[in-house]
Amino acid sequence: LKSNPSNNEEKEAQTQLTKSDELQRLHSQALSAYQQEDYETAISFLDEILAVCVWDAELRELRAECYIKEGEPSKAISDLKAAAKLKNDNTEAFYKISRIYYQLGDHELSLSEVRECLKLDQDHKQCFSLYKQVKKLNKQIESAEEFIREGRYEDAISKYDSVMKTEPEVPVYSTRAKERICHCLSKNQQATEAIKLCTEVLQLEPTNVNALKDRAEAYLLEDMYEE
């Protein structure tokens, strides 16, 4: 406005200033809603700002936090991945992405993301601690699946028991482990144990196809054809 106050440019500049004021107001409202734990409202304000300020890493991180609180992890991952690219050495974003994948039971993607964090900072305490945990769990699951492929069902059961001990806090790993142990028991002709464990899994996940199939196989072994 000061350098060249011609009519056209003055109009454009005034429009931009008005828009800028509006975005600052929305920003204040978004922060206020976040502090009051009204995450849904905060997201709607942040959506409006990010439609204009597409490359703002911090706003994306804030919206990701809101998505996490609202139980929408995949949307949080999308924002955090953008933030990881927009901000140099964004170890925090990689750590958070890895944590979310881990909580969702996707140990392989979790391992991949936490490695990205350690590439940026090999002394990052949180990332290193998570890396050790995920690497150990990942190795146990891979080893158990290898045993299943080889028909070594007792060894696979033992390995999946270890998985449940390694991660007792995140339910998805216990459920997956029980599902695979049920599969091994069924293949190993241990029908009674297989039926019991598969039923346990199906109480948690009634539409788990693998558990239904393995329990059906176990019922066949027991001549329980109706079941």
Side-chain angles (χ1 to χ4, degrees):
L1 275 170
K2 284 175 184 169
S3 66
N4 196 354
S6 70
N7 276 350
N8 260 357
E9 284 173 351
E10 187 173 353
K11 216 173 191 177
E12 173 64 16
Q14 290 294 359
T15 306
Q16 294 287 4
L17 275 171
T18 307
K19 191 186 259 185
S20 149
D21 288 343
E22 170 68 3
L23 290 172
Q24 283 184 311
R25 186 181 61 76
L26 286 169
H27 188 215
S28 300
Q29 288 177 305
L31 288 175
S32 172
Y34 177 78
Q35 281 153 7
Q36 288 166 29
E37 298 180 13
D38 182 358
Y39 303 114
E40 198 179 333
T41 303
I43 289 166
S44 70
F45 288 136
L46 289 165
D47 286 347
E48 281 189 68
I49 306 168
L50 281 160
V52 182
C53 310
V54 186
W55 314 118
D56 193 311
E58 277 164 23
L59 288 178
R60 285 191 177 275
E61 286 172 349
L62 181 60
R63 189 169 66 176
E65 281 300 312
C66 294
Y67 281 137
I68 291 166
K69 302 282 190 189
E70 283 290 289
E72 296 195 69
S74 57
K75 288 182 179 178
I77 286 170
S78 172
D79 267 344
L80 287 167
K81 282 193 170 179
K85 287 179 183 155
L86 291 166
K87 208 153 85 177
N88 284 343
D89 300 341
N90 197 344
T91 51
E92 196 57 32
F94 285 116
Y95 172 70
K96 283 179 182 173
I97 296 166
S98 179
R99 286 274 332 155
I100 295 170
Y101 277 134
Y102 186 73
Q103 296 291 327
L104 290 173
D106 201 328
H107 51 94
E108 287 169 335
L109 279 175
S110 175
L111 189 60
S112 163
E113 294 294 334
V114 81
R115 278 183 175 140
E116 290 300 318
C117 172
L118 290 171
K119 275 184 203 170
L120 295 171
D121 178 6
Q122 59 188 24
D123 298 322
H124 194 291
K125 281 185 182 169
Q126 286 176 305
C127 283
F128 187 65
S129 170
L130 181 60
Y131 171 71
K132 284 197 298 184
Q133 174 73 1
V134 186
K135 192 181 176 194
K136 183 181 179 184
L137 193 74
N138 198 52
K139 200 172 175 186
Q140 287 174 334
I141 292 170
E142 281 180 354
S143 177
E145 288 300 314
E146 186 61 34
F147 286 142
I148 290 172
R149 283 191 289 275
E150 293 168 4
R152 294 166 60 185
Y153 299 117
E154 290 294 337
D155 290 334
I157 289 167
S158 168
K159 195 58 78 173
Y160 268 119
D161 278 333
S162 302
V163 167
M164 289 193 279
K165 286 179 187 136
T166 298
E167 185 42 86
E169 302 295 321
V170 183
V172 66
Y173 295 107
S174 299
T175 308
R176 282 295 83 79
K178 285 175 184 174
E179 179 201 299
R180 297 306 279 155
I181 291 170
C182 164
H183 175 75
C184 295
L185 291 167
S186 180
K187 290 284 183 191
N188 219 23
Q189 316 279 301
Q190 292 167 266
T192 310
E193 295 95 321
I195 291 164
K196 185 178 172 222
L197 201 58
C198 273
T199 302
E200 208 177 300
V201 173
L202 287 161
Q203 280 165 350
L204 297 166
E205 296 179 353
T207 56
N208 186 313
V209 176
N210 294 326
L212 285 165
K213 286 197 295 186
D214 289 323
R215 189 169 69 174
E217 291 292 337
Y219 280 142
L220 284 174
L221 293 169
E222 293 286 283
D223 299 334
M224 296 167 73
Y225 301 120
E226 288 295 327
E227 286 85 344

